[in-house]
PDB file of all heavy atoms in Angstrom:
ATOM      1  N   ALA W  23      -3.337 -18.482-114.048  1.00  0.00           N
ATOM      2  CA  ALA W  23      -4.362 -19.187-114.803  1.00  0.00           C
ATOM      3  C   ALA W  23      -3.744 -20.402-115.465  1.00  0.00           C
ATOM      4  O   ALA W  23      -2.533 -20.468-115.659  1.00  0.00           O
ATOM      5  CB  ALA W  23      -4.955 -18.245-115.860  1.00  0.00           C
ATOM      6  N   ALA W  27       0.515 -21.550-116.897  1.00  0.00           N
ATOM      7  CA  ALA W  27       1.351 -22.510-116.168  1.00  0.00           C
ATOM      8  C   ALA W  27       2.659 -22.847-116.865  1.00  0.00           C
ATOM      9  O   ALA W  27       3.709 -22.858-116.228  1.00  0.00           O
ATOM     10  CB  ALA W  27       0.556 -23.791-115.890  1.00  0.00           C
ATOM     11  N   GLU W  35      12.510 -23.582-114.304  1.00  0.00           N
ATOM     12  CA  GLU W  35      13.526 -24.436-114.909  1.00  0.00           C
ATOM     13  C   GLU W  35      14.754 -23.632-115.323  1.00  0.00           C
ATOM     14  O   GLU W  35      15.892 -24.067-115.138  1.00  0.00           O
ATOM     15  CB  GLU W  35      12.940 -25.172-116.115  1.00  0.00           C
ATOM     16  CG  GLU W  35      11.928 -26.243-115.749  1.00  0.00           C
ATOM     17  CD  GLU W  35      11.286 -26.860-116.973  1.00  0.00           C
ATOM     18  OE1 GLU W  35      11.460 -26.295-118.073  1.00  0.00           O
ATOM     19  OE2 GLU W  35      10.620 -27.893-116.824  1.00  0.00           O
ATOM     20  N   ALA W  60      32.443 -41.150 -95.429  1.00  0.00           N
ATOM     21  CA  ALA W  60      31.780 -40.505 -94.300  1.00  0.00           C
ATOM     22  C   ALA W  60      32.452 -39.177 -93.970  1.00  0.00           C
ATOM     23  O   ALA W  60      33.672 -39.047 -94.009  1.00  0.00           O
ATOM     24  CB  ALA W  60      31.812 -41.434 -93.083  1.00  0.00           C
ATOM     25  N   ASP W  70      34.681 -23.342 -77.308  1.00  0.00           N
ATOM     26  CA  ASP W  70      34.255 -24.745 -77.395  1.00  0.00           C
ATOM     27  C   ASP W  70      32.763 -24.899 -77.687  1.00  0.00           C
ATOM     28  O   ASP W  70      32.371 -25.755 -78.492  1.00  0.00           O
ATOM     29  CB  ASP W  70      34.602 -25.474 -76.097  1.00  0.00           C
ATOM     30  CG  ASP W  70      36.096 -25.699 -75.941  1.00  0.00           C
ATOM     31  OD1 ASP W  70      36.830 -25.534 -76.933  1.00  0.00           O
ATOM     32  OD2 ASP W  70      36.538 -26.036 -74.816  1.00  0.00           O
ATOM     33  N   VAL W  76      28.686 -25.670 -84.336  1.00  0.00           N
ATOM     34  CA  VAL W  76      28.976 -25.721 -85.771  1.00  0.00           C
ATOM     35  C   VAL W  76      29.142 -27.167 -86.225  1.00  0.00           C
ATOM     36  O   VAL W  76      28.593 -27.576 -87.265  1.00  0.00           O
ATOM     37  CB  VAL W  76      30.242 -24.891 -86.096  1.00  0.00           C
ATOM     38  CG1 VAL W  76      30.685 -25.133 -87.545  1.00  0.00           C
ATOM     39  CG2 VAL W  76      29.967 -23.409 -85.876  1.00  0.00           C
ATOM     40  N   THR W  82      24.145 -32.407 -89.191  1.00  0.00           N
ATOM     41  CA  THR W  82      22.730 -32.441 -89.563  1.00  0.00           C
ATOM     42  C   THR W  82      22.549 -32.240 -91.066  1.00  0.00           C
ATOM     43  O   THR W  82      21.775 -32.945 -91.722  1.00  0.00           O
ATOM     44  CB  THR W  82      21.956 -31.354 -88.796  1.00  0.00           C
ATOM     45  OG1 THR W  82      22.040 -31.610 -87.389  1.00  0.00           O
ATOM     46  CG2 THR W  82      20.487 -31.336 -89.202  1.00  0.00           C
ATOM     47  N   VAL W  83      23.283 -31.269 -91.625  1.00  0.00           N
ATOM     48  CA  VAL W  83      23.195 -31.000 -93.060  1.00  0.00           C
ATOM     49  C   VAL W  83      23.703 -32.189 -93.858  1.00  0.00           C
ATOM     50  O   VAL W  83      23.076 -32.618 -94.842  1.00  0.00           O
ATOM     51  CB  VAL W  83      23.985 -29.727 -93.417  1.00  0.00           C
ATOM     52  CG1 VAL W  83      24.034 -29.537 -94.935  1.00  0.00           C
ATOM     53  CG2 VAL W  83      23.364 -28.504 -92.761  1.00  0.00           C
ATOM     54  N   ALA W  92      30.454 -39.507 -90.035  1.00  0.00           N
ATOM     55  CA  ALA W  92      31.394 -40.299 -89.248  1.00  0.00           C
ATOM     56  C   ALA W  92      30.987 -40.293 -87.769  1.00  0.00           C
ATOM     57  O   ALA W  92      30.293 -39.397 -87.290  1.00  0.00           O
ATOM     58  CB  ALA W  92      32.807 -39.757 -89.414  1.00  0.00           C
ATOM     59  N   ASN W  99      37.640 -34.429 -91.624  1.00  0.00           N
ATOM     60  CA  ASN W  99      37.963 -34.288 -93.050  1.00  0.00           C
ATOM     61  C   ASN W  99      37.150 -33.164 -93.694  1.00  0.00           C
ATOM     62  O   ASN W  99      37.226 -32.951 -94.897  1.00  0.00           O
ATOM     63  CB  ASN W  99      37.750 -35.609 -93.799  1.00  0.00           C
ATOM     64  CG  ASN W  99      36.328 -36.113 -93.732  1.00  0.00           C
ATOM     65  OD1 ASN W  99      35.444 -35.473 -93.159  1.00  0.00           O
ATOM     66  ND2 ASN W  99      36.082 -37.284 -94.298  1.00  0.00           N
ATOM     67  N   PHE W 123      46.971 -28.650 -98.801  1.00  0.00           N
ATOM     68  CA  PHE W 123      46.500 -28.321-100.143  1.00  0.00           C
ATOM     69  C   PHE W 123      46.510 -29.543-101.061  1.00  0.00           C
ATOM     70  O   PHE W 123      46.280 -29.416-102.267  1.00  0.00           O
ATOM     71  CB  PHE W 123      47.362 -27.202-100.741  1.00  0.00           C
ATOM     72  CG  PHE W 123      47.285 -25.914 -99.984  1.00  0.00           C
ATOM     73  CD1 PHE W 123      48.267 -25.566 -99.072  1.00  0.00           C
ATOM     74  CD2 PHE W 123      46.205 -25.063-100.155  1.00  0.00           C
ATOM     75  CE1 PHE W 123      48.198 -24.376 -98.356  1.00  0.00           C
ATOM     76  CE2 PHE W 123      46.115 -23.866 -99.443  1.00  0.00           C
ATOM     77  CZ  PHE W 123      47.119 -23.525 -98.543  1.00  0.00           C
ATOM     78  N   GLU W 130      48.576 -23.540-108.460  1.00  0.00           N
ATOM     79  CA  GLU W 130      47.217 -23.732-107.966  1.00  0.00           C
ATOM     80  C   GLU W 130      47.093 -23.256-106.524  1.00  0.00           C
ATOM     81  O   GLU W 130      46.080 -22.655-106.136  1.00  0.00           O
ATOM     82  CB  GLU W 130      46.823 -25.198-108.077  1.00  0.00           C
ATOM     83  CG  GLU W 130      46.628 -25.683-109.501  1.00  0.00           C
ATOM     84  CD  GLU W 130      46.360 -27.174-109.571  1.00  0.00           C
ATOM     85  OE1 GLU W 130      47.075 -27.955-108.906  1.00  0.00           O
ATOM     86  OE2 GLU W 130      45.431 -27.557-110.298  1.00  0.00           O
ATOM     87  N   ALA W 141      36.378 -15.253 -97.110  1.00  0.00           N
ATOM     88  CA  ALA W 141      36.434 -16.705 -96.940  1.00  0.00           C
ATOM     89  C   ALA W 141      37.123 -17.358 -98.134  1.00  0.00           C
ATOM     90  O   ALA W 141      37.059 -16.847 -99.259  1.00  0.00           O
ATOM     91  CB  ALA W 141      35.036 -17.288 -96.768  1.00  0.00           C
ATOM     92  N   ARG W 167      42.054 -50.579-111.897  1.00  0.00           N
ATOM     93  CA  ARG W 167      41.535 -51.943-111.875  1.00  0.00           C
ATOM     94  C   ARG W 167      40.070 -51.892-111.487  1.00  0.00           C
ATOM     95  O   ARG W 167      39.717 -51.543-110.367  1.00  0.00           O
ATOM     96  CB  ARG W 167      42.319 -52.796-110.868  1.00  0.00           C
ATOM     97  CG  ARG W 167      43.804 -52.960-111.217  1.00  0.00           C
ATOM     98  CD  ARG W 167      44.456 -53.977-110.297  1.00  0.00           C
ATOM     99  NE  ARG W 167      45.846 -54.207-110.644  1.00  0.00           N
ATOM    100  CZ  ARG W 167      46.873 -53.582-110.079  1.00  0.00           C
ATOM    101  NH1 ARG W 167      46.648 -52.683-109.140  1.00  0.00           N
ATOM    102  NH2 ARG W 167      48.109 -53.839-110.443  1.00  0.00           N
ATOM    103  N   LEU W 203      26.980 -19.775 -90.041  1.00  0.00           N
ATOM    104  CA  LEU W 203      28.365 -20.124 -90.345  1.00  0.00           C
ATOM    105  C   LEU W 203      28.466 -21.571 -90.799  1.00  0.00           C
ATOM    106  O   LEU W 203      29.125 -21.876 -91.807  1.00  0.00           O
ATOM    107  CB  LEU W 203      29.249 -19.903 -89.115  1.00  0.00           C
ATOM    108  CG  LEU W 203      30.691 -20.417 -89.221  1.00  0.00           C
ATOM    109  CD1 LEU W 203      31.436 -19.772 -90.375  1.00  0.00           C
ATOM    110  CD2 LEU W 203      31.439 -20.217 -87.901  1.00  0.00           C
ATOM    111  N   ILE W 215      32.544 -24.736-105.031  1.00  0.00           N
ATOM    112  CA  ILE W 215      31.730 -23.587-105.388  1.00  0.00           C
ATOM    113  C   ILE W 215      32.545 -22.303-105.306  1.00  0.00           C
ATOM    114  O   ILE W 215      33.337 -22.113-104.385  1.00  0.00           O
ATOM    115  CB  ILE W 215      30.516 -23.483-104.436  1.00  0.00           C
ATOM    116  CG1 ILE W 215      29.511 -24.600-104.734  1.00  0.00           C
ATOM    117  CG2 ILE W 215      29.835 -22.128-104.537  1.00  0.00           C
ATOM    118  CD1 ILE W 215      28.396 -24.688-103.718  1.00  0.00           C
ATOM    119  N   ASP W 237      22.785  -3.903 -93.441  1.00  0.00           N
ATOM    120  CA  ASP W 237      21.354  -3.672 -93.267  1.00  0.00           C
ATOM    121  C   ASP W 237      20.495  -4.515 -94.207  1.00  0.00           C
ATOM    122  O   ASP W 237      19.295  -4.279 -94.330  1.00  0.00           O
ATOM    123  CB  ASP W 237      21.034  -2.192 -93.459  1.00  0.00           C
ATOM    124  CG  ASP W 237      21.451  -1.679 -94.844  1.00  0.00           C
ATOM    125  OD1 ASP W 237      22.182  -2.408 -95.540  1.00  0.00           O
ATOM    126  OD2 ASP W 237      21.049  -0.561 -95.202  1.00  0.00           O
ATOM    127  N   GLY W 284       5.223 -30.204 -98.488  1.00  0.00           N
ATOM    128  CA  GLY W 284       4.954 -31.506 -97.909  1.00  0.00           C
ATOM    129  C   GLY W 284       6.107 -32.464 -97.954  1.00  0.00           C
ATOM    130  O   GLY W 284       6.039 -33.547 -97.371  1.00  0.00           O
TER     131      GLY W 284
END
Side-chain angles (χ1 to χ4, degrees):
E35 290 175 348
D70 289 346
V76 170
T82 298
V83 173
N99 60 2
F123 297 99
E130 290 175 314
R167 297 188 177 95
L203 172 59
I215 288 172
D237 59 348

